[in-house]
Structure formats: structure tokens, C-alpha cells
Amino acid sequence: MPTLQIGAITIQINRKAIKNLHISVLPPDGKVRVSAPESMTDTAIRMAVVSRIPWIKKQQSDFANQPRQSDREMVSGECHYLWGKRHRLNVVERVGCHEVKVARGKINLYVNPGTSVENRTLALTEFYRAALKARVEKLINGWQSTIGITITAWSVKKMKTKWGSCNTQAKRIWFNLELAKKPHECLEYILVHELVHLLERNHNERFRAHMDRFMPNWRERRELLNRMPLAHNTWAY
């Protein structure tokens, strides 16, 4: 992907069949990516980015100051998050199906003796996936009714640069698996955010007006999400 250098900031340029330029500052280290119309000149892109330098630097500073979890070894005593709260992992080896139970501030992970770190991680990941799906199912019908739209499908998957995404043509929504580790308010914010994209594709004034109408405190929820610790894994682009 071609890049543009402005001072100490390296910008990745992705030319697409779109009408407007979009600037993204991506976790975990604040890399800058610009999606630009195919016909837009480098000079025009540079001018647009320069005008947003203060905003870019603030986003990068926020990422730099955001706490990060250490590498996961999947052993007892590790800290893992569930719905925004810290839990201690308690690994219990016993013969039988892998299972996860949450009680008294602990995530009890039941695995067979000798289970590898990868398979322990997989068992916990599937627990997060089930928990997230159950929560979305409780929320989505009510919000579709409130906003006045209907989607065709939704799913959960690991995502590297977004908390959620929406295919406006197919009317399909994806949720980042990491949302199971964030407060409930954050998941609900992402849900509404993606549903509103079916009313307005771009993050413009009309989009923000819809968000203000349906979720007046969406900015506070966004800030809460941005303050939460990032996952331990290295995000790639």
C-alpha cells in the first residue's frame, strides 16, 4: 500500500471507488490510514490530512496511553476481562469436555490434563463468542424496532481494526469478538452505530444526528470503549 509522509507521521493511502476521503487512526499504535477517491490527487490528500493533524495526534496519544494486557499464558492467576470487569483465571484440570464457568470474580476454565495453551485459549474464546451472541440477541430486535430498520443477518468474528462493521447493501452486521470483554454499554453503542449506518453510510452530520436521537450518550459510551485495555495480541493491518 503506498504511503505519504507528513512530518513524523506516515500515512497509508488506499484508493477506492468512493466519493469522500476518510481518515482512520488504527489500534494499537495509531497507524494512520486514508481511504481516498481514486481520482483524488496526492496534493489534495496531503492538504486534507494536514488539516486533521491535531486530531490525528490526539488519537495517537490516546492509543499510546491506553493500558494493554500482557501476553496470555492461560494459567491460573492471570487477569482476563469479561463485560468490562477484571476476573482471575482459574484453570482446573479434569477429564471431560472443556467448560467455562464464571463465579465470584473468577473465570473457571475446566480442561483435560495436559491441554495445550492453544486449546485453552480456544475454549475461552468460544465462551466469549457464546456470551457475546447471547447479549446481542437480547438487544438487536428492540433496537431494530426503535431505529426502524431490519437487517438480514449478523455474526461475531475476530476483527483487527474495527469494533463492528456493516455491509449496507446486504444489510449484514459483524461484531468484534473482543466486545465480550468490554462493558455492556460499549456493545450496545457499537450495535446502534452499525444499525444507524443503514440510514446513513458516512460518519457525517446526518449520521451524528441519528446517533444523538437514538442514543444521546453515545459519545460517553465511545469514550468508555476507547479507555478500556487493548487486547494483548499485536494488531496487524
Side-chain angles (χ1 to χ4, degrees):
M1 187 178 297
T3 61
L4 179 67
Q5 194 72 31
I6 300 179
I9 300 175
T10 301
I11 298 99
Q12 295 179 334
I13 308 296
N14 183 20
R15 296 186 182 276
K16 305 168 65 176
I18 56 177
K19 292 182 179 180
N20 301 308
L21 178 140
H22 301 283
I23 301 174
S24 301
V25 182
L26 305 172
D29 301 320
K31 289 185 179 180
V32 182
R33 176 185 293 167
V34 171
S35 296
E38 294 173 337
S39 61
M40 198 170 193
T41 65
D42 287 349
T43 299
I45 293 173
R46 179 181 292 274
M47 291 176 63
V49 172
V50 166
S51 69
R52 300 296 302 281
I53 288 296
W55 175 82
I56 291 171
K57 288 185 175 180
K58 182 182 184 306
Q59 299 302 307
Q60 291 179 328
S61 175
D62 288 345
F63 281 131
N65 294 324
Q66 197 168 355
R68 287 168 170 75
Q69 298 182 49
S70 59
D71 288 343
R72 307 288 85 181
E73 298 178 6
M74 300 303 296
V75 296
S76 293
E78 277 185 350
C79 172
H80 290 257
Y81 281 82
L82 175 65
W83 300 128
K85 296 181 179 180
R86 290 163 57 101
H87 291 70
R88 290 293 177 185
L89 183 65
N90 179 38
V91 179
V92 181
E93 291 191 338
R94 56 101 172 97
V95 177
C97 296
H98 293 172
E99 188 178 12
V100 177
K101 294 183 178 180
V102 180
R104 299 179 180 179
K106 290 185 178 180
I107 296 177
N108 298 299
L109 174 60
Y110 298 89
V111 295
N112 284 295
T115 298
S116 66
V117 172
E118 289 77 14
N119 284 337
R120 291 182 184 189
T121 302
L122 179 60
L124 186 56
T125 296
E126 291 310 304
F127 165 76
Y128 280 129
R129 188 184 305 276
L132 184 57
K133 284 185 173 181
R135 185 63 183 174
V136 172
E137 287 175 353
K138 290 182 178 180
L139 294 171
I140 197 160
N141 288 338
W143 276 111
Q144 285 185 97
S145 178
T146 297
I147 297 173
I149 53 88
T150 301
I151 62 173
T152 59
W154 62 270
S155 59
V156 172
K157 66 178 180 179
K158 292 184 177 181
M159 303 172 70
K160 294 181 177 180
T161 62
K162 296 179 179 180
W163 291 114
S165 65
C166 176
N167 184 319
T168 56
Q169 290 184 331
K171 294 186 177 180
R172 182 182 180 94
I173 290 175
W174 289 269
F175 297 95
N176 190 326
L177 181 61
E178 287 289 308
L179 286 168
K181 302 175 185 179
K182 313 306 175 186
H184 289 116
E185 304 96 306
C186 298
L187 168 60
E188 194 168 26
Y189 157 65
I190 294 299
L191 169 59
V192 173
H193 181 112
E194 300 307 332
L195 289 175
V196 166
H197 272 309
L198 295 176
L199 301 178
E200 172 53 56
R201 294 183 60 180
N202 300 311
H203 292 121
N204 54 23
E205 193 60 40
R206 183 167 179 261
F207 177 89
R208 290 188 289 273
H210 282 311
M211 291 297 296
D212 288 339
R213 175 187 172 194
F214 297 120
M215 182 176 278
N217 68 343
W218 67 272
R219 292 175 178 83
E220 288 81 2
R221 295 185 188 224
R222 181 182 62 185
E223 283 298 312
L224 176 61
L225 179 58
N226 288 338
R227 290 197 305 268
M228 293 300 297
L230 292 170
H232 67 279
N233 53 294
T234 301
W235 293 47
Y237 307 106

